[in-house]
């Protein structure tokens, strides 16, 4: 039974706040890693486990969050997740060694996995089914804006306070969310209570999804299969996934109910959510790296550039929800979103070294509109046929696929950047010859400039060659990032046909809890 009036809105704000905690913490740490590295005396490779540990724990819990909510009661599981997440945030801020921080981040990731999908399931039950498009739009605010503003908040806190405060800020927010959840969220029946626990399923899920996520997080930095443990994890992921699916399909009380894949809208929605994650997290990954490594922007400046696009997404979400409620096919809206994302990447793929903050305003606003058009319709299509306990299971799997899509996107784009750097460097080096008059003129001009400043001819020559090398490196990076934008846009564009494999006319048949 749906809620009304004040109670509906206070529950909505509570679950959105809780999901924002989890989603912001997915990316807020990234810009603080150098400070954490220096403070704890760790190498960059080791400190990266602060991000990897959280992501791995998070993605393991996501698919079984529906079962956990069904076994312990959705309200109990939701409140417990908030409390554990808040305590883990305090422990992360107080960590005195890297091992402690990684361990507490894993605990935070385990709790965070229970926040996002449970938040979405509670929201779906709270709103009337004829307004579910609006509810999905409100949830989408956190899911889309959270990863975008995370680096901004992290950069600001790191620049003005201590890195520990990126964790401490969660404490008052978590405490308020737990209080309001306890006071207002309605309990649901514990359908799975008293039924056998599928311990083998839990173990196989942890092995399969944990191995896959670790591969995606660490593969590029470890040179993929040149590193033995990446090869071992790949074998573990493949075997674990096969055994996990077989196990869950052959027992009476699985922790992940693959039977919901009988709904064509949900089965296809798993793939479209994967593509959404690829675009959302991939673009959030490439753009800050492009701005900071090539254009010399600070983390805070990069975040300020991203803000108008995020604001545009926030403003568009309610309108998208209303359009869905009025019966406009979700496929049409999502098609527009994918096309706008392609326009965004095409505009950025034509960037030059002369671009400034004003050049990014329009592309990022277009991305903001596109993300609003993507998230709400894709989520609506995916969960359209789910009812009762299937809602919790479906939201967990759907969110897991979006997270994995993001990990695949980042891993793929990182690899592309690495490969294309070599290709572009080799191509540009063909112009660095003594017979190239443009190079000779530039080299002589640089030498005379340095000599005019009082440097010896030897030092001036060395510095002139260094300036040529610097210019070459910048051009290589520029072409490489342009390639990354272009490829991520093509992935989104070529995914449009997937939308039309999902049945039309589902907007009026939205999920509602049978209880």
């Amino acid at each position: 039974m749906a809620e009304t009036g004040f109670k509906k809105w206070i529950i909505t704000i509570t679950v959105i706040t809780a999901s924002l905690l989890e989603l912001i913490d997915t990316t807020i740490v990234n810009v603080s890693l150098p400070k954490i590295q220096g403070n704890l005396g760790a190498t960059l490779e080791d400190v990266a486990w602060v991000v990897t540990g959280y992501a791995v724990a998070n993605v393991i819990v996501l698919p079984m969050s529906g079962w956990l909510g069904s076994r312990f009661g959705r309200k109990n599981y939701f409140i417990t997740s908030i409390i554990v997440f808040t305590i883990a945030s305090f422990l992360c801020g107080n960590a005195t060694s890297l091992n402690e921080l990684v361990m507490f981040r894993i605990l935070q990731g385990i709790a965070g996995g229970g926040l996002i999908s449970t938040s979405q399931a509670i929201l779906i039950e709270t709103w009337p089914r004829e307004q579910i498009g609006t509810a999905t739009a409100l949830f989408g605010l956190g899911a889309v804006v959270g990863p975008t503003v995370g680096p901004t908040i992290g950069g600001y806190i790191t620049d003005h306070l201590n890195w520990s405060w990126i964790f401490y800020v969660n404490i008052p927010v978590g405490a308020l969310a737990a209080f309001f959840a306890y006071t207002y969220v309605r309990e649901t029946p514990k359908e799975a209570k008293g039924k056998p626990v599928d311990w083998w399923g839990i173990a196989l899920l942890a092995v399969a999804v944990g191995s896959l996520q670790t591969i995606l997080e660490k593969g590029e930095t470890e040179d993929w299969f040149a590193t033995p443990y990446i090869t071992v994890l790949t074998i573990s992921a493949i075997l674990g996934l096969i055994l996990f699916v077989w196990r869950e399909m052959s027992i009476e009380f699985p922790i992940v109910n693959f039977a919901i894949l009988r709904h064509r809208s949900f089965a296809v929605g798993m793939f479209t959510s994967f593509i959404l994650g690829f675009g959302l997290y991939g673009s959030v990954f490439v753009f800050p790296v492009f701005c900071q490594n090539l254009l010399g922007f600070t983390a805070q400046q990069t975040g300020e550039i991203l803000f108008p696009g995020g604001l545009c997404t926030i403003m568009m979400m309610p309108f998208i929800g209303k359009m869905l409620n009025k019966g406009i096919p979700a496929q049409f809206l999502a098609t527009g979103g994918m096309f706008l994302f392609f326009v965004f990447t095409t505009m950025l793929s034509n960037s030059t070294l002369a671009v400034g903050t004003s050049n990014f305003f329009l592309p990022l606003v277009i991305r903001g509109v596109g993300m609003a058009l993507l998230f709400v319709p894709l989520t609506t299509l995916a969960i359209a046929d789910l009812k009762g306990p299937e809602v919790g299971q479906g939201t967990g799997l759907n969110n897991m696929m979006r997270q994995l899509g993001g990990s695949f996107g980042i891993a793929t784009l990182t690899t592309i950047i690495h490969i294309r750097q070599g290709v572009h460097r080799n191509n540009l080096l063909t112009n660095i010859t003594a017979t190239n008059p443009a190079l000779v003129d530039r080299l002589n001009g640089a030498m005379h400039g340095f000599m005019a400043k009082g440097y010896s001819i030897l030092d001036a020559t060395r510095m002139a060659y260094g300036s040529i090398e610097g210019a070459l490196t910048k051009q290589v990076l520029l072409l490489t990032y342009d390639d990354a934008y272009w490829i991520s846009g093509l992935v989104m564009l070529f995914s449009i046909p997937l939308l039309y494999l999902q049945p039309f006319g589902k907007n009026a048949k939205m999920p509602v809890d049978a209880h």
Side-chain angles (χ1 to χ4, degrees), residues 165-225:
W165 282 95
I166 64 177
F167 300 112
Y168 290 151
V169 293
N170 294 333
I171 296 172
V173 180
L176 283 173
F179 171 76
F180 285 119
Y182 176 79
T183 306
Y184 294 104
V185 173
R186 186 178 69 248
E187 184 56 274
T188 56
K190 304 173 184 178
E191 292 96 348
K193 187 176 182 181
K195 297 177 181 176
V197 178
D198 179 20
W199 294 110
W200 276 109
I202 293 173
L204 290 169
L205 174 66
V207 169
V209 180
S211 297
L212 177 59
Q213 182 71 18
T214 305
I215 293 165
L216 295 173
E217 293 279 337
K218 304 295 290 183
E220 174 60 26
T221 58
E222 298 288 357
D223 198 20
W224 295 107
F225 301 110

Side-chain angles (χ1 to χ4, degrees), residues 288-349:
V289 174
F290 169 67
C291 288
Q292 293 174 48
N293 287 2
L294 194 57
L295 303 181
F297 295 171
T298 65
Q300 186 175 335
Q301 286 175 320
T302 305
E304 290 169 354
I305 295 170
L306 287 167
F307 183 75
L311 185 63
C312 191
T313 302
I314 293 172
M315 294 172 63
M316 285 295 298
M317 285 288 192
F319 294 104
I320 305 300
K322 288 181 179 178
M323 284 190 276
L324 287 171
N325 291 339
K326 290 180 179 179
I328 297 176
Q331 288 89 338
F332 293 169
L333 296 175
T335 298
M338 288 187 171
F339 180 74
L340 286 178
F341 187 87
F342 175 72
V343 172
F344 153 73
T345 56
T346 301
M347 294 176 74
L348 287 191
S349 69

Side-chain angles (χ1 to χ4, degrees), residues 16 33 62 78 90 100 107 132 137 177 193 207 225 242 246 260 313 320 325 327 344 353 389 407 449 465-466 489 514:
I16 290 173
L33 290 182
L62 273 172
F78 182 59
F90 172 78
E100 282 185 15
L107 179 62
I132 206 70
K193 187 176 182 181
V207 169
F225 301 110
I242 293 171
W246 171 79
I260 61 177
T313 302
I320 305 300
N325 291 339
F344 153 73
L353 292 174
S407 298
Y465 276 107

Side-chain angles (χ1 to χ4, degrees), residues 379-451:
T379 304
T380 299
L381 284 170
I383 63 177
D385 290 333
L386 306 184
K387 295 179 177 65
E390 291 180 341
V391 173
Q393 291 275 1
T395 54
L397 281 172
N398 195 52
N399 284 306
M400 181 197 74
M401 288 301 289
R402 188 175 66 251
Q403 294 285 87
L404 284 177
S407 298
F408 264 97
I410 292 171
T412 301
L413 292 175
T414 302
T415 303
I416 288 169
I417 287 171
H418 178 73
I419 293 171
R420 296 299 292 172
Q421 275 184 340
V423 172
H424 287 305
R425 183 174 179 84
N426 289 336
N427 290 338
L428 290 178
L429 281 175
T430 60
N431 298 310
I432 310 296
T433 64
T435 58
N436 185 338
L439 173 68
V440 173
D441 288 344
R442 181 162 180 171
L443 195 59
N444 288 334
M447 286 174 58
H448 288 123
F450 288 123
M451 289 172 66

Side-chain angles (χ1 to χ4, degrees), residues 261-280:
L261 291 173
R262 71 183 184 279
H263 301 296
R264 187 173 61 166
S265 60
F266 181 75
V268 178
M270 294 272 282
F271 289 99
T272 54
S273 293
F274 183 90
I275 298 300
L276 173 63
F278 189 105
L280 173 61

Side-chain angles (χ1 to χ4, degrees), residues 27-214:
T27 56
I28 194 173
V29 177
N30 295 25
V31 295
S32 303
L33 290 182
K35 291 286 182 69
I36 296 173
Q37 175 190 355
N39 188 255
L40 299 181
T43 64
L44 186 60
E45 290 75 18
D46 288 338
V47 83
W49 283 102
V50 174
V51 176
T52 303
Y54 180 89
V56 171
N58 195 264
V59 83
I60 288 172
V61 174
L62 273 172
M64 59 180 180
S65 58
W67 173 81
L68 288 166
S70 179
R71 185 171 185 85
F72 299 106
R74 192 169 291 155
K75 177 178 180 177
N76 294 336
Y77 179 50
F78 182 59
I79 294 172
T80 301
S81 296
I82 296 174
I83 293 172
V84 173
F85 188 92
T86 305
I87 293 171
S89 296
F90 172 78
L91 294 173
C92 286
N94 264 22
T96 56
S97 69
L98 181 64
N99 289 337
E100 282 185 15
L101 182 56
V102 171
M103 182 175 66
F104 296 141
R105 277 286 283 176
I106 290 172
L107 179 62
Q108 197 182 39
I110 291 171
L115 286 178
I116 182 168
S117 297
T118 313
S119 294
Q120 190 175 9
I122 291 172
L123 200 60
I124 290 169
E125 294 167 355
T126 300
W127 283 67
R129 84 180 205 175
E130 65 271 13
Q131 297 179 342
I132 206 70
T134 303
T136 306
L138 292 171
F139 176 78
L141 293 178
V144 175
V145 176
T148 304
V149 303
T152 309
I153 298 172
Y156 182 85
I157 291 174
T158 304
D159 287 347
H160 295 85
L161 297 169
N162 185 277
W163 63 264
S164 297
W165 282 95
I166 64 177
F167 300 112
Y168 290 151
V169 293
N170 294 333
I171 296 172
V173 180
L176 283 173
F179 171 76
F180 285 119
Y182 176 79
T183 306
Y184 294 104
V185 173
R186 186 178 69 248
E187 184 56 274
T188 56
K190 304 173 184 178
E191 292 96 348
K193 187 176 182 181
K195 297 177 181 176
V197 178
D198 179 20
W199 294 110
W200 276 109
I202 293 173
L204 290 169
L205 174 66
V207 169
V209 180
S211 297
L212 177 59
Q213 182 71 18
T214 305

